[in-house]
Amino acid sequence: MAASGEVMLSAEQSAALKGVLPNTGDSDTLMIAAGMSATREGVTFTCDSDYDCTVTVTNSLGTIVAMWESQTLGDGTASSMASGLEPPVDTFPLLNAGSTALIRVEVNPAPDATPARTAPNWMATELIGMDIGTVGVLNADMAGLRSVFDPNGAGFGTSPGDAAAAPGAVPTLTMGSTITGATDGIDPSVDMAPAPTGWGMKTLFRDWGDTAGSGDGGFETGAIVVKNLDEGTPHPFDDMLHDRYVNPTAQNMFDLTIAASGAAGTTSVDIDSTSDATNAALSRQLAAMVFDSTSLVPAQSQDLNVNPTETFTGTYFGAPGQFQCIGDATESCALARNDDGTVRVVDTDSATDGIQTTERWSFTPDDGAMITVPDQDWMAYGAWLTTPDDAGGTHRFGVFFNGMDPYTPGTNFTIADADGLHGSATYSGGATGVYVDGMDSGLFTARAMLTANFDVDGDGTADSGDYSISGRIHNFRGTNGVALGADTGDLPNPQGRGENDWVVLLNADAAGFSTSTDGAISARTTGGSADGVPWSGMWNGHFFGPAADADGDATAPSGVAGRFWANTGDPDGAGTMTVNDAVTSVVGAFGATKD
């Protein structure tokens, strides 16, 4: 005889199935052999019967209902049960998805707007945890972000402006809040999609609380930072070290010269040589001077006045050697003891730029001294979202991309240069950002694929498609690992049902980038569709990596990164987005390396 019944589902199982059956009437049927199981979105249905089972899962007025059918001989029961689901664990469980309508307008800039770091969209975000140079070592423990995360805190100091294609260009922040891996790092859930191959992902979370005392309960910020930073490379502290760095400030820090004292044959670093209108570079150098306690006067409890030519042993950026005061003969160098007994260099110059003029130091590395050169060809991208405990509170969000070595090709990027860049290059990586889908919202991760065409046939003539770049962002997933979009399967956006149908196409520009000499990719349009509805939007970016190989020949950029936004339109035709426009929107950043 026939047997049937309802499969009891937990709230987590229903939520997972609703992600692929979002609309009333959506239905899915599973045919399960006797004693076997079938899994849909992590929900395992087991046919506990001597006969085959049919399980039908339906969205009935927003409620997921699962019914089973089978047969029995009459002396037993047949059933199908749901089991085996580990509920998705959202990495950022406190983000307030219920207030999605209030951030929809912020996620949707005007249709002709370019991705700009301007409030409220594209909040300026600075990657922190740097060391050598303007952009240098990304400290794995302290690395994080600085921006206007906390709505109760201070905001921008100056107008952000459009940092469209300029990696690392950020406006001045007044008391900008920070989140770092050292204090705010959290472990992503086991369900969260992993970083792309060759990349590492750091997730950050901060509960700001009610810092304004307004009784609103406070705010939380969730952030995702993705980077492809490699380990540093050991290198002798010699006259070749300068060339291992791509940042000019860092190069000067390791430019070996004859000491100012005139000591013949003394190859040293002049620790004042990098100083210019600011003391940022000098501060890094002075902070890197670590003195050996045995080279100091043990009984000295006050600040130390050091005469010119006096020497001390120690380390400079970790390399052993000797420091020498090379100030003017009438002046002395200054040291001061820290509370812990260690010694620091004191800058006593009275100039407004804070730079020493007469009290300088040199460093002479020991024979065979080594230094670790940090990765000089890395990129990073990320996004953050601040959401209030109170659904009516202020939201903020931002995306960013950056890299160590922005590609600066010069003339070898143009078709007219016979020795220029030819052929094509493909790039793969990932993306992250903020999404809004109906009444759902949050942070997403995705995959990125791009193709850059240079002078494809190498004939030095501009043919159709030459010197252009295009690509796609696909496989969008929330921070609980669940695919975003109506459908799931095995392939990204095939015909019919497939793994989420959100695909943002990064369209090429008809003008290409043949006239670009700075590696920038100017603003261009996005396309593609979300669940069959066309996207519209913009994207831009920048190439990264060395422009020439060791022989000086032109080489394709090693990576590309940028920002994008896309939405599915303006349903009410009002011309501007409102809290009632139930559109699908994404705003994000991406990074991809050469395959």
Side-chain angles (χ1 to χ4, degrees):
M1 64 175 61
S4 63
E6 183 176 354
V7 182
M8 302 308 296
L9 300 173
S10 69
E12 292 82 2
Q13 292 167 334
S14 296
L17 293 168
K18 191 174 181 180
V20 295
L21 302 171
N23 302 312
T24 295
D26 288 348
S27 183
D28 195 8
T29 301
L30 292 79
M31 306 298 295
I32 309 174
M36 304 301 288
S37 299
T39 300
R40 183 68 163 146
E41 283 304 295
V43 183
T44 299
F45 296 91
T46 301
C47 181
D48 187 12
S49 173
D50 293 329
Y51 299 90
D52 294 349
C53 298
T54 300
V55 177
T56 303
V57 184
T58 305
N59 185 326
S60 177
L61 299 177
T63 300
I64 298 298
V65 178
M67 302 297 297
W68 62 267
E69 295 180 357
S70 187
Q71 300 179 76
T72 179
L73 291 174
D75 56 358
T77 59
S79 65
S80 177
M81 59 183 178
S83 63
L85 174 71
E86 292 186 6
V89 179
D90 197 332
T91 303
F92 307 112
L94 298 179
L95 292 183
N96 188 351
S99 52
T100 296
L102 298 177
I103 65 173
R104 180 175 292 114
V105 175
E106 296 182 8
V107 177
N108 287 274
D112 61 347
T114 59
R117 287 187 171 117
T118 54
N121 300 296
W122 315 97
M123 288 291 189
T125 304
E126 179 184 5
L127 190 63
I128 62 175
M130 302 300 180
D131 190 2
I132 300 172
T134 303
V135 179
V137 181
L138 185 59
N139 185 293
D141 297 322
M142 296 299 294
L145 302 175
R146 179 174 181 265
S147 194
V148 287
F149 304 118
D150 180 2
N152 290 330
F156 294 108
T158 60
S159 175
D162 183 0
V170 296
T172 300
L173 295 174
T174 302
M175 300 291 291
S177 45
T178 63
I179 51 177
T180 73
T183 57
D184 306 306
I186 60 174
D187 293 328
S189 75
V190 295
D191 297 293
M192 189 170 178
T197 301
W199 296 73
M201 180 168 61
K202 182 180 290 293
T203 50
L204 307 173
F205 185 83
R206 168 72 70 87
D207 185 345
W208 301 102
D210 184 12
T211 55
S214 59
D216 58 13
F219 304 82
E220 294 81 41
T221 296
I224 298 175
V225 180
V226 188
K227 57 187 182 300
N228 66 337
L229 183 71
D230 290 333
E231 295 293 331
T233 303
H235 191 279
F237 204 127
D238 57 19
D239 57 359
M240 298 297 293
L241 185 59
H242 168 280
D243 297 329
R244 300 285 79 82
Y245 292 85
V246 300
N247 185 281
T249 301
Q251 290 174 352
N252 290 334
M253 288 183 181
F254 302 102
D255 190 6
L256 297 181
T257 59
I258 301 299
S261 63
T266 302
T267 304
S268 308
V269 172
D270 184 343
I271 293 179
D272 195 34
S273 63
T274 65
S275 300
D276 47 29
T278 69
N279 63 355
L282 177 60
S283 296
R284 294 187 184 95
Q285 289 179 288
L286 300 183
M289 295 174 61
V290 178
F291 294 91
D292 293 334
S293 58
T294 55
S295 67
L296 301 170
V297 180
Q300 180 69 50
S301 61
Q302 303 299 318
D303 292 350
L304 303 175
N305 290 319
V306 178
N307 295 320
T309 73
E310 281 195 68
T311 60
F312 302 86
T313 60
T315 60
Y316 180 65
F317 288 100
Q322 287 193 333
F323 298 109
Q324 183 179 56
C325 173
I326 55 174
D328 184 89
T330 61
E331 299 287 342
S332 62
C333 298
L335 299 176
R337 289 192 181 276
N338 299 314
D339 292 338
D340 61 1
T342 58
V343 173
R344 69 182 185 275
V345 176
V346 178
D347 181 3
T348 60
D349 182 54
S350 60
T352 56
D353 60 10
I355 297 170
Q356 301 184 58
T357 56
T358 59
E359 307 129 62
R360 301 198 317 275
W361 291 85
S362 70
F363 174 75
T364 303
D366 290 348
D367 291 342
M370 301 289 291
I371 190 169
T372 299
V373 179
D375 184 5
Q376 298 293 293
D377 186 15
W378 59 266
M379 296 181 297
Y381 64 89
W384 59 269
L385 171 63
T386 290
T387 187
D389 293 335
D390 180 353
T394 302
H395 292 75
R396 289 180 176 178
F397 66 90
V399 301
F400 76 93
F401 71 92
N402 213 328
M404 181 65 204
D405 188 18
Y407 191 80
T408 52
T411 57
N412 66 3
F413 212 37
T414 63
I415 296 176
D417 184 358
D419 297 324
L421 194 58
H422 304 299
S424 299
T426 59
Y427 299 85
S428 59
T432 187
V434 178
Y435 76 92
V436 175
D437 183 27
M439 289 308 297
D440 294 327
S441 65
L443 292 167
F444 70 79
T445 62
R447 291 294 185 261
M449 298 172 56
L450 299 97
T451 298
N453 293 320
F454 309 109
D455 184 6
V456 176
D457 55 15
D459 64 357
T461 301
D463 301 311
S464 177
D466 277 357
Y467 283 74
S468 65
I469 183 171
S470 60
R472 57 188 274 150
I473 311 294
H474 63 275
N475 197 10
F476 286 81
R477 293 182 180 272
T479 51
N480 61 2
V482 175
L484 299 173
D487 305 324
T488 60
D490 298 325
L491 298 173
N493 202 30
Q495 294 298 319
R497 298 183 69 85
E499 183 166 329
N500 81 69
D501 285 338
W502 291 13
V503 174
V504 175
L505 297 180
L506 307 176
N507 296 327
D509 190 326
F513 48 80
S514 60
T515 60
S516 174
T517 58
D518 62 0
I521 302 169
S522 58
R524 50 208 60 201
T525 62
T526 57
S529 63
D531 304 324
V533 181
W535 293 110
S536 63
M538 304 290 292
W539 76 281
N540 57 22
H542 207 286
F543 287 112
F544 289 88
D549 58 22
D551 297 325
D553 297 325
T555 186
S558 59
V560 59
R563 299 191 296 273
F564 65 94
W565 68 264
N567 65 62
T568 55
D570 178 20
D572 61 13
T576 58
M577 298 299 168
T578 71
V579 295
N580 297 316
D581 283 342
V583 298
T584 301
S585 307
V586 290
V587 54
F590 68 88
T593 54
K594 186 172 176 290
D595 296 325

